[in-house]
Amino acid sequence: MTPHHGEILFRLILAAILGALVGFEREVHGRPAGIRTYLILCLGSALVMVLSQYLSYGMMEKLPEDALRVDPGRIAAQALTGIGFLGAGVILRYKDTIRGLTTAACVWVVCAIGLAIGAGFYLYGSVVAVLTVVSLVGVKFFERRLKKDWYQEMTIVSQDLAGQFSRIQDIITKHAFEVINFGLSKNLENKEVTANFLLRIRTSRPDRQVLQEVFELPGVKRVDLI
């Protein structure tokens, strides 16, 4: 049965509200996709689902019984496939750090929410939207207190002094960092040495005090910790 015009409008408005709800949480955390992106995405997904239902049920009512039947899920399936391109666009990589995976997942789930609302599953779509926001806020609070492995890359430029990097390693060890990898290069013209450390530490938040202590060593010109 083809839904009434008032029913369709309600679905579209509810999808826009739920999409904006998820987008609000991303917006306040400065993510690339914010309120407008999620609102439009969820609204468009709902419209795709409504059209899918209309084309299937509306046409089947006019077709004879022995005619080829239309699958209402085909258009929705293409929407979920196509949304992968938008999700990939919000994933950013800087050196060994990847950001935007959660935002990409939110883009995908908001598409699913829009499809659910467009199909008339108001309760399921609303529950998923609320659970998504709760997981974004609540799980992040838990993750900040969870001890896990942090990987840091430290680059040090120093004068070529005897025993300098033994002193640096002592400071790194004192702050509970583990040296995973180490690289060294020398500039004979300037008599400078550049050392690259890949460090690992298990904690809820890495201590950056190591930067100050290394920088205070005599001969150290620059210290970067990424």
Side-chain angles (χ1 to χ4, degrees):
M1 180 178 179
T2 305
H4 190 267
H5 293 302
E7 173 78 6
I8 292 175
L9 291 175
F10 175 75
R11 295 181 184 184
L12 296 177
I13 293 172
L14 180 59
I17 293 172
L18 294 177
L21 177 65
V22 178
F24 175 79
E25 194 280 337
R26 298 283 85 191
E27 184 80 39
V28 296
H29 288 91
R31 301 308 180 191
I35 296 176
R36 291 181 299 173
T37 303
Y38 283 92
L39 189 155
I40 294 172
L41 173 60
C42 197
L43 179 61
S45 301
L47 180 60
V48 166
M49 195 65 208
V50 169
L51 290 175
S52 180
Q53 283 190 333
Y54 176 79
L55 291 175
S56 59
Y57 299 139
M59 291 178 63
M60 283 192 295
E61 292 175 357
K62 301 177 182 179
L63 293 175
E65 293 184 359
D66 58 347
L68 181 65
R69 296 296 158 179
V70 180
D71 180 10
R74 293 183 66 183
I75 300 178
Q78 294 302 315
L80 280 173
T81 302
I83 207 64
F85 291 97
L86 183 59
V90 299
I91 299 176
L92 306 174
R93 176 171 182 147
Y94 177 73
K95 292 187 178 181
D96 294 330
T97 302
I98 298 176
R99 296 190 61 186
L101 293 175
T102 301
T103 300
C106 290
V107 167
W108 183 85
V109 78
V110 164
C111 178
I113 292 170
L115 294 175
I117 298 300
F121 295 101
Y122 310 128
L123 177 61
Y124 302 147
S126 300
V127 168
V128 170
V130 172
L131 288 176
T132 300
V133 175
V134 169
S135 65
L136 290 171
V137 177
V139 176
K140 181 181 292 185
F141 178 82
F142 171 74
E143 284 180 339
R144 288 175 178 173
R145 286 154 180 77
L146 180 67
K147 288 188 176 181
K148 57 185 178 180
D149 286 341
W150 293 79
Y151 291 88
Q152 307 271 279
E153 185 177 339
M154 177 182 282
T155 301
I156 304 168
V157 179
S158 172
Q159 293 179 355
D160 191 5
L161 303 177
Q164 179 75 310
F165 289 96
S166 296
R167 292 188 287 270
I168 292 174
Q169 286 183 318
D170 290 341
I171 295 175
I172 291 173
T173 304
K174 184 181 75 172
H175 287 271
F177 283 97
E178 179 185 355
V179 178
I180 303 300
N181 200 357
F182 173 80
L184 185 67
S185 62
K186 289 187 178 183
N187 188 324
L188 299 179
E189 183 179 350
N190 297 331
K191 296 183 179 180
E192 291 181 349
V193 181
T194 301
N196 294 294
F197 293 90
L198 179 59
L199 309 175
R200 179 175 63 190
I201 186 172
R202 171 158 291 188
T203 181
S204 57
R205 181 170 296 182
D207 181 13
R208 302 184 73 87
Q209 181 63 27
V210 64
L211 277 173
Q212 184 64 29
E213 293 192 22
V214 172
F215 192 73
E216 290 175 353
L217 289 174
V220 173
K221 298 182 176 180
R222 194 182 87 235
V223 182
D224 296 323
L225 185 63
I226 302 174

